[in-house]
Amino acid sequence: SPNSVIVAGGSHFTLMAETILRELKELDYIILGEGEIAFSQFLQDLSRGGKGRGVKSLAYSDNGKVILNERHPLIPNLDSLPLPAYHLIDVEKEVYYWHGMGRRAFGLSTSRGCGDRCAYCSESRFWEGVWRGRSGRKVVEEISYLNHQYGKTLFIFNENTFNWSRRRVEEFLDELGRSGLRIHFWFQSRIKDILRDEDLIPEMRRLGLYEVMLGI
């Protein structure tokens, strides 16, 4: 498809942009870091007949020289983003049967990054050592939508540390309790945050928590 514009994104392409653009000649562009704003601006520029090369967070090769444009700042408020366009995907496909849990399971991303800077962690580099989370109200809103629209009842939080913010967890539990939803969920966390929130664990369990995956 020689007339197609090939664009890549995500953590691997971001962290290895220079190497990949030198080695993969078929690739035209890489969106560096968070993609919502940069990719939208890039598409708008292409639709106007441009090449998108002035767009922030864009990387490309120009006559053998790799150009890494200045990065967009991280989106400060994740609540400002709309829900994913679930109506554009087939949520019943087996690719969404997380960890072999069947059709009732679904994965959510409710936060980005982590406030620690572990030397071995690519996520720390990709998200610039910053944690941001959507509000507990927004998280329950998305769970409720997936439950009522698609019958999902088991939720996996696909993020580094779901309970980085105790305040957010408290809001999440309050909203989930008032919603009347009967669900199950599990998340990834770290020992220090579980110990900090030890008093919240019984309420988490009452509302559906059955597993925590710990990083050590």
Side-chain angles (χ1 to χ4, degrees):
S1 186
N3 296 320
S4 296
V5 177
I6 310 299
V7 187
S11 56
H12 181 74
F13 284 98
T14 295
L15 299 178
M16 299 289 293
E18 291 192 56
T19 301
I20 291 172
L21 284 168
R22 287 196 186 97
E23 294 182 357
L24 196 60
K25 303 303 183 184
E26 296 84 0
L27 182 62
D28 298 305
Y29 300 98
I30 291 174
I31 299 291
L32 303 170
E34 211 163 35
E36 285 92 349
I37 294 174
F39 190 51
S40 176
Q41 291 178 347
F42 174 72
L43 293 178
Q44 289 171 21
D45 191 74
L46 286 188
S47 71
R48 294 191 293 263
K51 292 187 175 181
R53 295 193 170 188
V55 173
K56 287 184 178 180
S57 298
L58 198 72
Y60 57 93
S61 180
D62 184 13
N63 293 320
K65 181 182 179 182
V66 174
I67 308 296
L68 305 176
N69 287 355
E70 176 189 356
R71 298 272 288 272
H72 270 288
L74 295 174
I75 298 168
N77 178 16
L78 296 185
D79 277 5
S80 66
L81 298 175
L83 287 180
Y86 289 120
H87 64 287
L88 297 179
I89 64 173
D90 181 1
V91 299
E92 304 305 326
K93 277 192 176 294
E94 289 191 9
V95 67
Y96 299 113
Y97 290 7
W98 288 90
H99 302 273
M101 294 175 185
R103 71 166 301 278
R104 74 188 189 101
F106 205 79
L108 300 180
S109 292
T110 74
S111 69
R112 297 176 179 180
C114 171
D116 282 346
R117 295 176 177 268
C118 299
Y120 54 80
C121 183
S122 63
E123 295 284 308
S124 177
R125 283 191 59 200
F126 181 75
W127 296 114
E128 302 175 24
V130 176
W131 182 92
R132 293 157 299 145
R134 292 168 59 217
S135 65
R137 179 179 61 82
K138 281 289 189 181
V139 174
V140 174
E141 180 183 303
E142 185 168 358
I143 288 174
S144 180
Y145 174 80
L146 289 164
N147 176 258
H148 291 115
Q149 194 75 16
Y150 301 107
K152 303 302 179 182
T153 59
L154 194 161
F155 296 93
I156 301 98
F157 293 108
N158 299 317
E159 49 215 57
N160 296 313
T161 173
F162 174 77
N163 63 328
W164 176 268
S165 165
R166 179 184 171 96
R167 194 171 105 182
R168 185 179 89 126
V169 172
E170 290 173 333
E171 183 188 9
F172 166 73
L173 293 175
D174 183 57
E175 293 284 342
L176 184 58
R178 290 195 290 110
S179 74
L181 289 165
R182 297 176 64 84
I183 63 166
H184 292 94
F185 63 94
W186 67 261
F187 58 80
Q188 299 180 100
S189 182
R190 288 110 63 78
I191 290 173
K192 69 181 182 66
D193 296 333
I194 291 295
L195 292 176
R196 182 201 65 202
D197 294 345
E198 185 177 1
D199 59 310
L200 299 179
I201 299 297
E203 180 67 356
M204 290 186 189
R205 181 180 179 185
R206 185 183 77 83
L207 293 173
L209 175 68
Y210 71 96
E211 178 182 330
V212 176
M213 187 180 292
L214 291 172
I216 299 175

